[in-house]
Amino acid sequence: MAIEKSYAEINAKIKEGKAVVVTAEELISMVDEKGVKKATEEVDVVTTGTFAPMCSSGVFLNLGHTTPKMKMHQVWLNNVPAYGGIAAVDAYLGATALPDNDPLNNNYPGEFKYGGGHVIEDLVARKPVRFRATGYGTDCYPRREIETNITLDEINEAILFNPRNAYQSYNCGVNLTSRTVYTYLGMLKPNLGNAHYSTSGQLSPLLKDPNFNTIGVGTRIFLGGGTGYVVWNGTQHFPEFLQTDSDGEQKGPAGGTLSVLGDLKQMKPEWLIGTSYLGYGASLSVGIGIPIPMLNEEVCRNAAIKDKDLYAPVIDYGEAYPNAKPGYLKLVSFAELKSGKIIVNGKEVPTAPLSSYPKAKQIAAQLKDWVAKGEFILGEPSQLLPSSDAGLKGKPLKG
Amino acid sequence: MSPKRIVLRFDATIADQPIIYRLVSDFGLVVNIIKANVNPQKEGTMVMEITGEKNKQGLEYLRGQGVQVHTLTENIIRNEEQCTSCGACTAICPSGALYLKRPSMEVHFDSDQCVVCHLCTKICPVRAMEAHF
Ligand code: SF4
Ligand code: SF4
């Protein structure tokens, strides 16, 4: 008989401290050894992890009311502007925001040493942050300016809300032109000098649930060292398989993304790190881990997919990507990418990751520990995210 | 006369030229190459010690050939607490001083291999690579 487990059954075991929890890496060897059926029976939860720059990140802040009260129209934290068009004392600080006086790329390639992501890291590290706001004055909110220091614990609320994180698979960037390009995938040397990729492959959350059989609205996750939630599909959530070959075999899920949310006050600075990309901009590296309940054999089989069966498209960031030319040079597996070299256009190209595999491993291990100890109960999604069947496609912007 | 430590950086057009030979033959310098690296694009970096009366003229000659010459007064160090082991520096580092250990994918730094080219100090997303004088 086919194995079917419910969230309630698995959660009951977690609460008793009896759940069997393994990381996605451990599941791979288990399935190799015992087969899918046995592994599905034995394992209750599989944990995943990823740690990489995720630009679409930010934090909602409720700063508290001043005396007299003020409607904060323009807001800066450590000189980085936040969006104040929400309510009187609320603001949203985006990870890629830059200080008003940043030279940007005028000194090409710009250094972008400090931006919104760095402010978020400083807040989480409990460092005082210089807060400045101006208002235009109203009858109920007469005050017009404030400048003070704030710390994370002194303000009312800080909610990390990232509209697009944890990309399912991501491009492997190369450069076919004869000049160096500076991209969000790092510095790409001319004439196929290097290839950069950015997911943790066989540990990466959305690669391990390619059809969204378990991940949905309400999935409880490891977010920045605290507890967070999947609250919707991410923006630009266009899940599809990279290629269906002549035998009808699907290759490499890609394109899914998550919208995630959590209480910044619970999070830790080692899992939310402000990052700068030379010639590109500032961002935030985010640690995310997702538990996958072993509901049935299909879920287990997917969670045990290996690096050699997961793919990334190789894309030219010198010419094709900036000019929105569709297509890719070839598909490469994460096993090839991790080996240190791939062959592109007949040339051997050294590879390097931008996402930290050691940190992804730590996240999967931490989450495993929480679930095994009964400290982390699975959130049953009230609605699963759209899968490749939904046929979602990105629309270009005309103009 | 005590030796002078210098770092040379040159591009593909110079990689085939006998510049070191000329330092020895034309300027009578004693050259001790400490590290050298020419990557597949033939951009090269070299750290060496030179001794001799005409070292100034020798360095002028190198600059005239389009070689960037820097005195080696700096050390590059890695702030291990800050480094996230992301790996972004490893395919950029021209000397292999920064490299990934497999299969753990941890990033290691071998400062003996470093040719102080400063690339990593600019491209490391968390600025974990620091130049010290
Ligand atoms: S780029 Fe920086 S953080 Fe990443 S591995 Fe290199 S030194 Fe460490
Ligand atoms: S300065 Fe950095 S990039 Fe250059 S050789 Fe040394 S470690 Fe490598």
Side-chain angles (χ1 to χ4, degrees):
Chain A
M1 222 185 78
I3 309 154
E4 286 294 339
K5 291 186 236 177
S6 70
Y7 280 85
E9 284 167 53
I10 295 174
N11 275 337
K13 278 175 101 174
I14 294 174
K15 281 180 199 151
E16 284 175 57
K18 285 185 183 155
V20 177
V21 192
V22 299
T23 68
E25 271 185 337
E26 290 163 344
L27 181 75
I28 289 171
S29 17
M30 226 175 143
V31 166
D32 273 348
E33 233 171 81
K34 305 181 173 181
V36 172
K37 186 158 188 283
K38 209 75 207 284
T40 316
E41 273 166 12
E42 284 178 24
V43 178
D44 298 301
V45 181
V46 170
T47 61
T48 62
T50 182
F51 183 86
M54 302 190 193
C55 284
S56 179
S57 295
V59 59
F60 280 106
L61 303 167
N62 178 280
L63 296 145
H65 281 287
T66 54
T67 316
K69 286 186 177 175
M70 176 175 173
K71 187 166 185 288
M72 294 169 183
H73 176 57
Q74 285 188 298
V75 170
W76 295 265
L77 292 106
N78 282 349
N79 210 25
V80 178
Y83 179 70
I86 307 173
V89 295
D90 295 288
Y92 182 77
L93 173 71
T96 64
L98 294 166
D100 289 341
N101 56 0
D102 195 287
L104 305 174
N105 247 348
N106 293 325
N107 291 336
Y108 181 82
E111 296 214 52
F112 305 102
K113 282 186 180 151
Y114 196 86
H118 299 85
V119 178
I120 294 170
E121 181 186 340
D122 283 345
L123 280 169
V124 177
R126 268 55 186 182
K127 287 189 190 155
V129 166
R130 196 77 188 150
F131 176 75
R132 191 158 61 85
T134 57
Y136 49 83
T138 75
D139 289 341
C140 51
Y141 294 116
R143 186 163 172 171
R144 284 167 189 268
E145 58 189 347
I146 183 169
E147 185 160 355
T148 183
N149 285 337
I150 58 165
T151 61
L152 185 59
D153 298 308
E154 285 162 5
I155 61 173
N156 287 326
E157 269 126 17
I159 305 162
L160 187 78
F161 174 55
N162 303 348
R164 180 172 70 256
N165 273 187
Y167 253 98
Q168 195 160 22
S169 180
Y170 209 82
N171 301 339
C172 166
V174 295
N175 176 11
L176 297 179
T177 71
S178 53
R179 65 177 182 103
T180 298
V181 293
Y182 299 93
T183 74
Y184 59 73
L185 280 173
M187 174 180 159
L188 298 174
K189 295 197 277 185
N191 308 316
L192 290 166
N194 58 334
H196 281 174
Y197 64 96
S198 184
T199 95
S200 54
Q202 60 187 16
L203 263 185
S204 191
L206 301 198
L207 288 175
K208 311 280 27 199
D209 186 10
N211 304 317
F212 299 96
N213 289 332
T214 73
I215 299 173
V217 179
T219 297
R220 190 175 285 124
I221 62 172
F222 172 108
L223 178 60
T227 307
Y229 294 87
V230 173
V231 293
W232 202 248
N233 54 258
T235 54
Q236 297 179 25
H237 174 80
F238 308 128
E240 57 185 334
F241 285 82
L242 282 167
Q243 193 179 62
T244 307
D245 60 23
S246 45
D247 321 327
E249 197 200 333
Q250 292 176 318
K251 273 202 171 148
T257 70
L258 300 179
S259 215
V260 299
L261 178 149
D263 177 9
L264 191 74
K265 292 190 182 190
Q266 289 179 16
M267 299 185 194
K268 310 244 154 50
E270 64 259 43
W271 303 113
L272 288 175
I273 301 181
T275 43
S276 322
Y277 283 93
L278 187 66
Y280 173 71
S283 185
L284 183 71
S285 284
V286 183
I288 291 183
I290 302 190
I292 299 177
M294 290 299 99
L295 301 176
N296 53 47
E297 286 179 43
E298 187 194 340
V299 169
C300 177
R301 192 175 301 113
N302 288 335
I305 305 175
K306 300 174 185 174
D307 277 338
K308 73 174 180 50
D309 297 316
L310 294 166
Y311 296 85
V314 179
I315 291 186
D316 168 35
Y317 275 67
E319 224 273 307
Y321 181 88
N323 294 305
K325 292 194 179 150
Y328 45 80
L329 298 163
K330 69 184 291 196
L331 292 180
V332 285
S333 74
F334 281 93
E336 290 171 84
L337 287 167
K338 283 184 187 166
S339 78
K341 46 185 188 276
I342 55 171
I343 307 284
V344 185
N345 292 354
K347 190 180 167 190
E348 191 177 283
V349 186
T351 60
L354 290 190
S355 70
S356 171
Y357 202 70
K359 284 216 165 215
K361 274 176 113 148
Q362 282 175 37
I363 291 169
Q366 173 73 78
L367 188 53
K368 172 183 161 174
D369 194 49
W370 285 349
V371 179
K373 281 191 182 141
E375 292 165 6
F376 190 103
I377 304 297
L378 304 187
E380 179 167 1
S382 43
Q383 172 179 317
L384 293 170
L385 299 189
S387 69
S388 60
D389 296 342
L392 299 172
K393 289 258 184 295
K395 288 192 271 293
L397 179 65
K398 294 186 196 82
Chain B
M1 184 185 265
S2 62
K4 194 173 162 67
R5 276 199 160 202
I6 55 168
V7 187
L8 307 183
R9 235 171 291 154
F10 44 88
D11 63 24
T13 55
I14 298 159
D16 316 337
Q17 313 266 325
I19 50 169
I20 305 301
Y21 169 76
R22 297 281 304 272
L23 283 184
V24 179
S25 70
D26 297 7
F27 302 95
L29 300 176
V30 177
V31 175
N32 178 22
I33 298 174
I34 300 166
K35 299 166 206 166
N37 182 275
V38 179
N39 71 22
Q41 284 81 45
K42 293 237 178 111
E43 300 150 340
T45 38
M46 204 181 276
V47 180
M48 57 188 207
E49 279 175 356
I50 51 167
T51 329
E53 306 261 306
K54 290 191 181 165
N55 76 44
K56 250 198 173 150
Q57 290 93 319
L59 298 188
E60 271 320 302
Y61 155 75
L62 289 178
R63 290 198 178 98
Q65 298 295 306
V67 179
Q68 292 178 48
V69 185
H70 300 279
T71 343
L72 185 60
T73 50
E74 296 154 275
N75 242 335
I76 302 291
I77 61 154
R78 181 171 66 150
N79 183 332
E80 294 192 11
E81 244 166 60
Q82 223 143 303
C83 171
T84 63
S85 244
C86 69
C89 53
T90 55
I92 304 287
C93 173
S95 70
L98 284 158
Y99 61 97
L100 278 162
K101 271 239 167 102
R102 300 188 159 79
S104 74
M105 302 299 279
E106 260 154 28
V107 174
H108 287 250
F109 175 49
D110 176 0
S111 62
D112 287 345
Q113 296 296 321
C114 173
V115 294
V116 198
C117 72
H118 282 254
L119 276 175
C120 58
T121 61
K122 293 194 203 106
I123 62 107
C124 170
V126 298
R127 308 285 153 150
M129 300 305 293
E130 298 165 359
H132 285 244
F133 292 90

